[in-house]
């Protein structure tokens, strides 16, 4: 032990003093960082206010602050061009999904012409393809609207569905399955039967 100015110091005391000094340095660094971020945000808000005052006749500019980055082109995080994830494992965001939809579903329509026009599979595929092409053509810059009209997943999923349908169609054409599917006449007898259509079976609840 050493004595200084009538005080007794120990190794434990020195360790505590060093920890306190390190903590003070960390607190000062954190405070300075927060002050810098606050000043940056105040500067951005001031610029937005000044811009809106000087250009009141023009449309306001949307600014989105994300951490240290901000965008002034009207991009909204998670929507349209601001979409960063589909939420589905293995399916990445595709901002060109709508043009791909139009191309792929037109390819399906062209491929379907190899089947007879009376084939029910061709009829069903053509209805789906025409509907999705119309939705994508009418709203080329609005994937959310296309998804709402098609009601069968995200635009990325719609592109994948077109690829999957092409695989099925090639198999259908290779095996000429429309020749196997034959129309069936369904017999319908709407006459009312007192026994409920169970024949001569009589139900006795007392023998249950």
């Amino acid at each position: 032990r050493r004595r200084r100015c009538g005080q007794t110091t120990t190794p434990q005391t020195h360790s505590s003093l060093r920890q306190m000094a390190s903590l003070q340095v960390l607190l000062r660094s954190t405070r300075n960082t927060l002050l810098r971020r606050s000043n940056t945000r105040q500067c951005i808000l001031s610029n937005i206010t000044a811009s809106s005052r000087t250009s009141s006749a023009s449309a306001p500019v949307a600014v989105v602050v994300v951490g240290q980055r901000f965008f002034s082109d009207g991009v909204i995080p998670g929507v349209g061009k601001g979409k960063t994830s589909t939420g589905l494992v293995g399916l990445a965001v595709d901002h060109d999904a709508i043009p791909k939809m139009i191309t792929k579903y037109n390819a399906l329509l062209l491929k379907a012409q190899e089947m007879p026009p009376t084939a029910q599979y061709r009829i069903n595929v053509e209805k789906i393809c025409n509907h999705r092409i119309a939705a994508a053509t009418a709203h080329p810059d609005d994937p959310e609207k296309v998804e709402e009209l098609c009601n069968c997943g995200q635009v990325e999923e719609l592109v994948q569905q077109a690829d999957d349908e092409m695989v099925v169609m090639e198999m259908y054409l290779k095996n000429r399955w429309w020749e196997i599917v034959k129309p069936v006449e369904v017999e319908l007898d709407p006459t009312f039967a007192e026994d409920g259509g169970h024949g001569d079976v009589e139900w006795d609840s007392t023998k249950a």
Side-chain angles (χ1 to χ4, degrees), residues 100-171:
K100 290 180 180 178
M101 281 181 58
I102 297 174
T103 301
K104 291 179 182 291
Y105 283 104
N106 274 313
L108 283 172
L109 288 175
L110 184 62
K111 193 74 173 177
Q113 293 179 3
E114 299 180 21
M115 286 181 283
T118 56
Q120 189 61 45
Y121 178 60
R122 172 178 173 176
I123 296 172
N124 295 341
V125 168
E126 287 179 342
K127 288 180 179 180
I128 295 174
C129 290
N130 287 326
H131 175 70
R132 294 185 178 183
I133 291 172
T137 304
H139 306 279
D141 299 320
D142 193 350
E144 285 75 22
K145 187 62 177 180
V146 174
E147 294 169 358
E148 178 185 348
L149 292 174
C150 294
N151 193 26
C152 203
Q154 303 176 51
V155 288
E156 291 84 0
E157 293 178 274
L158 296 174
V159 172
Q160 191 176 57
Q161 290 168 19
D163 293 334
D164 295 340
E165 197 65 51
M166 181 61 75
V167 175
V168 175
M169 185 175 292
E170 289 177 351
M171 187 184 305

Side-chain angles (χ1 to χ4, degrees), residues 35-49:
L35 288 174
R36 284 195 299 270
R37 291 182 178 178
S38 178
N39 292 334
T40 301
R41 292 176 180 175
Q42 290 294 335
C43 180
I44 293 174
L45 293 176
S46 299
N47 291 336
I48 295 173
T49 304

Side-chain angles (χ1 to χ4, degrees), residues 6 13 20 58 71-72 78 104 157 163 182 184 187 189 201:
T13 304
M20 291 179 62
S58 60
F71 307 93
S72 58
K104 291 179 182 291
E157 293 178 274
D163 293 334
K182 302 296 182 180
V184 178
E187 296 182 1
D189 184 8
V201 178

